Amino acid sequence: MSDLLALFATIFNALLVALFARKALGVPVGWPRSIVMGLFMGLAVSWAVGYIGELTGAFVGAQARAPLGVIFIIITLITAWVFVIGLIVLVLLELFVPTGALPSPLAFLRGWKARRSRARRYTQVVRIAAKHGLSGYLGGRRRTHEGSAAIARSLRDALNEGGVTFVKLGQMLSTRRDLIPEVFADQLATLQTRAEPEPWPQVERAIQEELGRPLGEVFHTVDPSPLASASVAQVHAARLLDGTPVVLKVQRPGARRQVTSDVEIILRLARWLERTTPWGRSLRVFRLAEGFAASLDEELDYTVEFDNLRGVAATLDGGIRVPTAHEKHSTGRLLVMDRLEGTPVGDAGALLAALPAATRKEIAERLLSEILRQLVRTGVFHADLHPGNILVTADGGLGLLDFGSVGRLDQPTRNALGMLLLAIDKNDAIGATDSLIEMLDRPEKLAERELERDIGQLMVRYRTGFGRGGSAGMFTALFKLIHAYGFAVPPQIAGAFRALAALDGTLALISPDLDVVGAARQQGREMMREATEPEAVRADLESRLAGYLPILQRLPRRINKLAEDLEHGRISVNIRPLSDERDRRFLTGLVHQVVVAILAAAATLGAIVLIAADVGPMVTPNLRLVALIGFALLLVGFVLALRSLALVFRRQ
């Protein structure tokens, strides 16, 4: 019983010490480390009272050489100094291992299985990188420009072997020609996500789980052989009970779990590369990884694709078809859509070759016109326009597939993009520069004159004589120029540029003779002409005036009051520089930190003077009263200094 009481007393003392430590430092130090430090402080005090007292001459054996009050003061000082040493340890822990940097013991035990699985997968990824000769680049020991072609091939092979998540990462990087060299982008663009089909019984079970009922209650027939098979999903042909032909896009069982695990590894690896390698910092790979993780998470949620499909369908003018999704049969892992007839452009070489050149050019111009209209007029655009996502029929019809990646632009951005196309058409470098600054986040130190000259040279280069590959070259070069001048490109605008660049490759397959940049200029010119027609301008002004109407109704009264105040000298200016609560909180914290630092310095200096003074009465054979007061004051100075340091770390 006595041992149990002693245990409870020890734990209670540790909790009290932990509470006092948190209050003394003024920051929420973690409870586990505070309690552990409280236990060590208790043990240290017991040892100090037993042994350090002999050094001070306070007591020898059981016979005290000093009054009980002095002994009590000395023991209190010893305890306080042990407490200060514990605070020093806590501050150092907060400096190197801040609270929250490590999981709690309970979370550590709960996540043990997941960490073991992640470690096994991480080891596998590193082994794949080493197998393809990339381990030296992960550590930053080798330069990326050494044998760039061979490195690009090795990176492509490693990503392909790594699985679906890493393949999709490579595909995303292949669209960022503004950030990675052309040789890398070309190699990564060849990555494919085709995979062996999942056995039909497993796919059938996954479909039934999503539907919540047998297939026969929803579909008349379902073809067990997939139309397409990728690493994340499979597509099967089917017919509804009423005979409507549909396709089922079903997510593979376990795909989300595998992708989630791999994405976590990619984020950790990206954070480490950005911290340890120069090229990782220059490319801001962690930011890229975060964007990739967000887009992949949306791609795995078919409800997002369902909303994207409806959003794009609502903006089309009838020239291009998109499938109609069946909401009552669609879920987060199953998408049921009407089947579009046609052949993907990437596989339609024979079909296109049978069409006249004029028809192929008309198809390409119609596709380009619709995509530009989505970018400039509606603001909702398909952001993944590779040849596999665009269907073409024998009669020249077009269709769009796979709406997992759809971008959205607000009205000011659309206006700026339209003005950019118009400025390029007019060879107006100043107008193009102003449009870019309006559309993007302006850097703090922007050399506008140099940017104007570079944009002017870019427009002259691509205005005439560029032939095939024009738009990809123009928009990629423009994107690189934006990056070189330090513009922060919002993800949706980056998606618009990537969509235009990807569209060029698809248009090249449809009509190799199409002057893409010329067609883009013509379409942009026509759309801007439509936007600046008197009727369109009048409608825009009417909508804006409707919003300003409440202000205009109150304007005469306010002007009258302003004139009366001016006449009677009642106008005054009231400036409140600290009206924002955040400003007041920042200033208060700064003053608090400065005051604590000054008090800590004053207490420490005063303590040193008192301890060094050889005056005053002796309270023990080896200790003067003035020195005892100095030790107490030094204790206060140390606590204040530690509190100041803790506040600094907390603010950072």
Side-chain angles (χ1 to χ4, degrees):
M1 186 66 180
S2 60
D3 293 340
L4 186 60
L5 290 175
L7 177 62
F8 278 122
T10 303
I11 295 176
F12 180 72
N13 290 334
L15 288 173
L16 284 180
V17 172
L19 179 62
F20 290 150
R22 290 165 60 94
K23 293 296 184 182
L25 292 178
V27 295
V29 181
W31 277 109
R33 63 180 64 184
S34 300
I35 294 173
V36 171
M37 192 54 57
L39 292 173
F40 279 109
M41 289 179 190
L43 295 175
V45 168
S46 300
W47 176 84
V49 170
Y51 294 97
I52 299 180
E54 296 183 3
L55 300 178
T56 64
F59 31 64
V60 178
Q63 300 295 325
R65 294 185 179 180
L68 291 177
V70 175
I71 295 175
F72 176 77
I73 293 175
I74 294 176
I75 293 176
T76 303
L77 281 177
I78 293 172
T79 303
W81 273 106
V82 171
F83 180 74
V84 169
I85 294 173
L87 291 183
I88 293 174
V89 175
L90 286 177
V91 170
L92 292 176
L93 286 175
E94 285 296 312
L95 174 61
F96 295 106
V97 188
T99 296
L102 297 177
S104 64
L106 185 60
F108 181 83
L109 294 176
R110 287 179 176 174
W112 169 253
K113 184 177 180 180
R115 279 191 301 276
R116 184 178 60 182
S117 176
R118 185 170 60 244
R120 185 164 56 247
R121 177 62 172 160
Y122 186 81
T123 304
Q124 183 182 6
V125 170
V126 173
R127 189 184 301 117
I128 291 173
K131 172 184 174 182
H132 293 278
L134 300 175
S135 56
Y137 301 96
L138 293 178
R141 298 186 299 274
R142 299 166 66 182
R143 299 181 182 273
T144 54
H145 65 264
E146 297 175 355
S148 295
I151 299 170
R153 288 192 296 270
S154 298
L155 179 61
R156 178 202 60 193
D157 295 339
L159 292 176
N160 193 51
E161 187 176 345
V164 53
T165 311
F166 294 93
V167 169
K168 288 187 173 294
L169 175 64
Q171 291 175 334
M172 184 274 291
L173 290 175
S174 70
T175 66
R176 297 304 304 267
R177 295 174 183 264
D178 59 308
L179 298 181
I180 64 175
E182 290 288 333
V183 62
F184 282 85
D186 292 338
Q187 288 292 334
L188 295 179
T190 64
L191 288 168
Q192 300 294 329
T193 57
R194 296 188 178 95
E196 289 297 322
E198 196 83 13
W200 170 245
Q202 298 182 17
V203 176
E204 182 181 18
R205 185 165 55 250
I207 296 174
Q208 291 183 158
E209 289 177 358
E210 293 302 309
L211 292 173
R213 46 184 164 166
L215 266 65
E217 296 183 10
V218 179
F219 304 105
H220 183 268
T221 59
V222 179
D223 188 356
S225 300
L227 294 173
S229 178
S231 299
V232 172
Q234 289 184 189
V235 178
H236 290 260
R239 284 186 179 274
L240 295 175
L241 294 178
D242 60 2
T244 303
V246 295
V247 293
L248 312 180
K249 182 178 180 180
V250 56
Q251 195 172 111
R252 285 175 178 257
R256 175 174 283 277
R257 182 173 61 253
Q258 181 62 55
V259 168
T260 301
S261 175
D262 285 349
V263 163
E264 188 174 356
I265 291 174
I266 289 174
L267 290 173
R268 290 172 179 267
L269 184 61
R271 186 184 291 108
W272 177 66
L273 288 174
E274 187 165 328
R275 188 175 64 251
T276 59
T277 63
W279 62 268
R281 286 188 294 271
S282 64
L283 293 180
R284 294 180 289 183
V285 294
F286 184 69
R287 183 178 178 182
L288 287 174
E290 285 184 317
F292 166 72
S295 63
L296 191 56
D297 184 65
E298 288 189 357
E299 188 175 340
L300 289 172
D301 186 358
Y302 291 168
T303 59
V304 174
E305 183 171 349
F306 178 83
D307 293 336
N308 290 340
L309 196 157
R310 291 198 302 183
V312 173
T315 64
L316 295 177
D317 60 359
I320 298 179
R321 297 175 299 148
V322 297
T324 301
H326 296 264
E327 183 175 6
K328 63 179 180 179
H329 302 316
S330 300
T331 66
R333 296 196 304 164
L334 175 66
L335 194 59
V336 181
M337 302 171 287
D338 289 342
R339 183 172 181 176
L340 289 184
E341 296 298 332
T343 306
V345 171
D347 301 326
L351 187 152
L352 291 170
L355 295 175
T359 302
R360 297 176 65 175
K361 183 177 181 181
E362 186 273 332
I363 294 173
E365 289 180 345
R366 181 159 29 103
L367 176 61
L368 176 62
S369 174
E370 178 59 35
I371 299 305
L372 288 177
R373 194 182 68 83
Q374 290 180 1
L375 288 170
V376 179
R377 300 297 298 275
T378 67
V380 181
F381 62 95
H382 195 302
D384 191 11
L385 296 169
H386 65 76
N389 285 341
I390 299 177
L391 296 178
V392 61
T393 62
D395 60 354
L398 287 170
L400 296 179
L401 299 176
D402 192 358
F403 294 84
S405 179
V406 168
R408 291 173 173 82
L409 300 177
D410 57 20
Q411 183 65 49
T413 302
R414 299 201 302 271
N415 292 340
L417 182 58
M419 295 304 297
L420 175 63
L421 292 175
L422 190 62
I424 292 175
D425 177 64
K426 295 181 177 297
N427 201 27
D428 181 6
I430 297 177
T433 302
D434 293 339
S435 299
L436 283 177
I437 294 175
E438 176 69 22
M439 185 166 47
L440 306 174
D441 297 332
R442 180 189 182 121
E444 292 185 3
K445 298 179 180 179
L446 176 63
E448 292 189 24
R449 290 291 300 159
E450 295 181 10
L451 178 61
E452 288 177 9
R453 285 192 289 268
D454 288 341
I455 290 179
Q457 294 176 4
L458 184 69
M459 290 191 297
V460 170
R461 186 192 322 161
Y462 287 98
R463 186 171 181 83
T464 57
F466 42 79
R468 267 308 320 149
S471 70
M474 183 181 72
F475 287 111
T476 300
L478 181 61
F479 209 24
K480 287 184 176 180
L481 187 64
I482 289 169
H483 180 71
Y485 275 87
F487 282 97
V489 183
Q492 295 299 335
I493 297 178
F497 278 98
R498 290 197 302 270
L500 289 171
L503 179 63
D504 178 77
T506 303
L507 295 174
L509 295 176
I510 298 175
S511 178
D513 299 329
L514 178 67
D515 181 352
V516 179
V517 176
R521 284 174 173 153
Q522 180 181 355
Q523 297 293 341
R525 190 185 314 131
E526 292 178 358
M527 284 185 291
M528 291 308 297
R529 186 183 301 117
E530 293 176 6
T532 55
E533 286 180 351
E535 290 294 329
V537 173
R538 188 182 68 179
D540 183 61
L541 288 176
E542 288 178 352
S543 64
R544 293 179 183 273
L545 285 174
Y548 293 141
L549 188 58
I551 299 176
L552 294 175
Q553 289 175 338
R554 290 190 292 266
L555 187 59
R557 188 189 320 136
R558 292 180 176 178
I559 293 177
N560 183 50
K561 185 177 184 304
L562 182 62
E564 290 180 356
D565 291 342
L566 183 62
E567 181 181 358
H568 295 89
R570 293 196 299 262
I571 292 182
S572 62
V573 178
N574 185 16
I575 300 177
R576 300 179 61 189
L578 298 177
S579 59
D580 194 338
E581 175 64 26
R582 292 174 298 178
D583 294 339
R584 294 196 299 271
R585 191 161 53 245
F586 169 78
L587 186 59
T588 301
L590 189 62
V591 171
H592 181 197
Q593 188 175 328
V594 171
V595 170
V596 170
I598 293 174
L599 291 177
T604 303
L605 290 176
I608 293 174
V609 172
L610 292 177
I611 293 172
D614 193 16
V615 295
M618 305 291 294
V619 294
T620 70
N622 300 324
L623 183 65
R624 294 182 181 274
L625 178 61
V626 174
L628 184 63
I629 298 173
F631 281 117
L633 190 59
L634 184 62
L635 172 70
V636 174
F638 262 90
V639 172
L640 291 174
L642 291 174
R643 184 182 180 92
S644 179
L645 287 175
L647 290 173
V648 170
F649 300 150
R650 185 67 178 177
R651 290 175 68 86
Q652 291 177 347

